[in-house]
Amino acid sequence: MGSAVSKVASQPARLADRTSKSLDEKELLRDTRNIDVAPSVPKSTNGSIQLSNLQAWESIAAADPKIQLARTVLAHSNVKTTLTSREAGIAIPHVFNTEVEFKPGPVTNQKSSGRCWLFATTNVIRYEVMRKLKLKDFQCSQSYLFFWDKLNKSNYYLELSIENADLPVDDRLVNFLADDLISDGGQWDMVVNLLEIYGLVPQLTYPESYHSSASSPLNTLLKAKLREHALTLRALSTTLRADTSISSERAQAILRARKEQLMQEVYTIMTATLGVPPRPDVPFTWEYYNEDGKYCKWEGTPLEFYKAFTTRYPPSECFSLINDPRNDYNTLYTVDKLGNVWGGRPVLYVNTVSAELKAAVVRTIKAGQPVFFGCDVGQFSSSAKDVGIMDTAYHQYEQAFNITLDLTKAQRLQTNESAMTHAMVISGVHVDEKTGQAVRFKVENSWGDESCYKGYMVMSDKWFDEFVYQVVVHKSFAPKELVKVYEAGDAVVLPAWDPMGALA
């Protein structure tokens, strides 16, 4: 679920061995009985840190042998790589009894960009491409979708600038929208918008450029230009509203005509840095070798390519199940002002318990289909070479510092401690033969084969409960009652700055 790279949290999140129990944290949030009573008399009467505070804190730390050992070791080493559990790594091996049979290649690499959601999507789609065409290695063009997404996000921001031109420039909403206006990240419904309008092409047809693999310089330039354009449109809107002879419809038309002139500059910058992409309605020819080394050729438009290789489980028929314990379950949610294609498919989530997400994943994997999912990848995990682990017991912060990390999943969302920061693909599960429940998950990442365990990670059941926020499944693999909630379309609108608006 990032503006430059998929964001990795820098702080530990919670008690390592704490279970989620029912995962219904709403009652816990309202329960104040477990709040510790603080000392009634402070050492500092004005709230600043006093020397007496330091003396008291140091006397406690100095008397603790574990803290003294931590001071000896951690002053010279990385806390995240040092305080790891060997036992946790052994307990969840990279071995799975239920996997998608087809093994794709190569392991993809988003490099210095925040395109994980586009890589996760194309990594799911390529399974069917490779099956049908009998390919040994294949990648869809992530850059192709990246171009159309960035162009549409630029247009989306300028449309929002027109829509909110009557608000003060320092209004919270206007300020928020101007902050990360064309993030590299995105959500499932946003990629469906791109696929349905622009289709898809092989990577060789529209390969990587410097600025697709390292997006920061391009983003910096585009943001500066778009913020300037937004002010231009706001000024024009003010002038038009002051002229009573101009109808609102005519004013809207004038503003959009001006916006299209401004978008020419955006298009010029993007085509110079990323290359001119294939038109979605113009045929292209792709030549390739199949797994037997035989020469083959495919001809058609990007839209035809997309439709030809997404017949089993069309992306437009898939939707997001989320686990957000702050909000009511069995309810449809959306986020205000969140999107990429103006007038396109809205971002929608059906909120439910974590167990439903896991069950849907297992059903999908057993049917031979990988799963797009969104999580907070930096929490209690390691992407180190030959490691690749996500487990709540992996980091031993509590033992080293004599602390407890007690935030619940809901509280982490409420306090900005956690959010959906990265999208990946689940391609296997290990199912307990007695209970039928998944106990660990095989995760295909997009950080190259030199990271993690040959590019893959193993995720524990407890980590899933705590840090997985979203799975995308076809309607046929979701509970019927949740499909009904989705299809009813009656969504609760969360504010634009809600953590569920985080872009993986």
Side-chain angles (χ1 to χ4, degrees):
M1 265 143 215
S3 60
V5 295
S6 296
K7 295 175 283 186
V8 176
S10 60
Q11 297 294 325
R14 65 172 288 115
L15 181 65
D17 61 353
R18 181 179 180 137
T19 61
S20 296
K21 298 181 181 178
S22 69
L23 298 180
D24 185 356
E25 299 173 352
K26 300 175 195 63
E27 287 301 321
L28 180 59
L29 289 172
R30 293 189 286 264
D31 188 358
T32 60
R33 290 172 296 179
N34 295 322
I35 298 176
D36 293 332
V37 177
S40 58
V41 180
K43 295 184 183 297
S44 170
T45 57
N46 64 7
S48 64
I49 295 177
Q50 302 293 314
L51 293 178
S52 57
N53 292 124
L54 300 177
Q55 183 178 356
W57 297 337
E58 178 57 27
S59 66
I60 294 172
D64 191 324
K66 284 206 300 184
I67 293 177
Q68 292 306 304
L69 177 61
R71 287 177 171 180
T72 300
V73 174
L74 298 177
H76 310 286
S77 59
N78 185 329
V79 62
K80 193 168 184 179
T81 56
T82 302
L83 299 177
T84 58
S85 168
R86 174 182 169 88
E87 290 75 15
I90 295 172
I92 52 170
H94 288 262
V95 178
F96 311 89
N97 58 16
T98 307
E99 297 186 56
V100 176
E101 289 185 9
F102 191 86
K103 302 296 187 293
V107 172
T108 57
N109 192 341
Q110 68 189 77
K111 299 184 179 177
S112 298
S113 73
R115 299 174 292 162
C116 58
W117 63 299
L118 299 177
F119 275 75
T121 299
T122 53
N123 282 347
V124 168
I125 291 175
R126 71 171 171 168
Y127 276 77
E128 188 169 346
V129 180
M130 295 179 73
R131 281 194 196 104
K132 287 185 174 181
L133 300 182
K134 298 180 180 180
L135 302 176
K136 183 179 180 181
D137 293 301
F138 176 76
Q139 290 190 64
C140 300
S141 173
Q142 303 90 359
S143 294
Y144 180 75
L145 295 177
F146 181 67
F147 179 95
W148 296 119
D149 178 64
K150 195 72 68 178
L151 186 68
N152 275 276
K153 278 178 180 165
S154 298
N155 180 69
Y156 196 93
Y157 172 66
L158 294 182
E159 282 288 338
L160 286 173
S161 298
I162 294 172
E163 182 178 89
N164 298 303
D166 58 330
L167 296 176
V169 72
D170 59 353
D171 178 85
R172 181 181 183 183
L173 178 62
V174 174
N175 185 267
F176 175 82
L177 295 174
D179 181 26
D180 198 11
L181 55 159
I182 51 166
S183 167
D184 283 0
Q187 272 297 339
W188 175 256
D189 295 295
M190 294 162 70
V191 79
V192 172
N193 280 330
L194 302 175
L195 292 168
E196 292 290 316
I197 297 171
Y198 302 103
L200 195 59
V201 298
Q203 191 181 72
L204 290 176
T205 302
Y206 190 67
E208 288 287 293
S209 69
Y210 177 89
H211 290 97
S212 64
S213 297
S215 59
S216 180
L218 173 60
N219 286 337
T220 298
L221 176 58
L222 286 177
K223 286 178 182 180
K225 201 65 208 169
L226 285 165
R227 288 166 180 147
E228 179 184 330
H229 289 342
L231 293 178
T232 297
L233 292 171
R234 287 176 62 87
L236 177 57
S237 177
T238 299
T239 300
L240 293 171
R241 287 199 308 271
D243 190 337
T244 57
S245 68
I246 300 176
S247 67
S248 59
E249 292 79 10
R250 178 59 182 154
Q252 179 84 332
I254 293 172
L255 284 163
R256 282 195 166 146
R258 181 64 176 129
K259 180 208 69 177
E260 290 173 2
Q261 290 179 331
L262 300 173
M263 280 294 296
Q264 169 70 53
E265 295 185 353
V266 174
Y267 178 83
T268 298
I269 294 169
M270 290 187 57
T271 51
T273 54
L274 298 174
V276 179
R279 284 268 305 262
D281 56 347
V282 175
F284 67 92
T285 299
W286 170 45
E287 298 174 298
Y288 62 94
Y289 292 111
N290 67 12
E291 63 184 2
D292 298 321
K294 180 181 177 181
Y295 168 83
C296 301
K297 182 171 65 174
W298 191 95
E299 294 180 306
T301 68
L303 279 168
E304 289 169 342
F305 186 88
Y306 161 60
K307 296 295 184 182
F309 298 109
T310 55
T311 56
R312 294 182 72 202
Y313 305 107
S316 61
E317 296 177 9
C318 301
F319 72 107
S320 296
L321 297 176
I322 63 166
N323 176 236
D324 176 3
R326 301 171 307 154
N327 292 309
D328 292 336
Y329 293 135
N330 301 318
T331 302
L332 186 67
Y333 290 92
T334 189
V335 178
D336 192 27
K337 313 302 181 190
L338 181 63
N340 60 346
V341 174
W342 191 256
R345 169 170 165 155
V347 174
L348 295 172
Y349 309 117
V350 177
N351 195 25
T352 186
V353 295
S354 183
E356 290 285 15
L357 272 66
K358 287 185 280 190
V361 168
V362 172
R363 287 191 290 269
T364 305
I365 296 299
K366 286 183 175 180
Q369 179 71 0
V371 178
F372 175 112
F373 80 107
C375 66
D376 190 357
V377 70
Q379 304 276 12
F380 290 96
S381 67
S382 173
S383 59
K385 186 177 180 180
D386 298 327
V387 181
I389 186 172
M390 297 182 286
D391 184 23
T392 55
Y394 187 63
H395 287 114
Q396 304 293 301
Y397 301 121
E398 296 178 319
Q399 291 87 333
F401 301 114
N402 272 354
I403 60 172
T404 59
L405 299 167
D406 290 334
L407 290 179
T408 66
K409 191 173 190 177
Q411 289 169 336
R412 288 195 298 270
L413 287 168
Q414 290 176 319
T415 58
N416 297 315
E417 171 59 25
S418 182
M420 212 181 322
T421 61
H422 191 49
M424 295 183 283
V425 175
I426 297 174
S427 59
V429 295
H430 192 78
V431 179
D432 186 280
E433 295 178 355
K434 295 180 180 180
T435 66
Q437 304 295 313
V439 295
R440 59 181 180 269
F441 301 81
K442 182 179 182 180
V443 175
E444 179 183 350
N445 204 352
S446 55
W447 292 345
D449 59 6
E450 290 297 308
S451 73
C452 309
Y453 183 76
K454 301 177 182 179
Y456 287 80
M457 303 185 82
V458 58
M459 171 173 58
S460 72
D461 175 61
K462 289 182 180 180
W463 198 96
F464 188 113
D465 285 338
E466 298 300 334
F467 300 112
V468 169
Y469 292 102
Q470 170 197 34
V471 301
V472 174
V473 296
H474 190 263
K475 292 178 183 179
S476 61
F477 300 126
K480 291 181 179 179
E481 61 272 19
L482 297 182
V483 174
K484 289 180 179 178
V485 171
Y486 173 73
E487 293 180 340
D490 185 19
V492 175
V493 181
L494 299 172
W497 41 83
D498 189 89
M500 280 297 114
L503 299 180

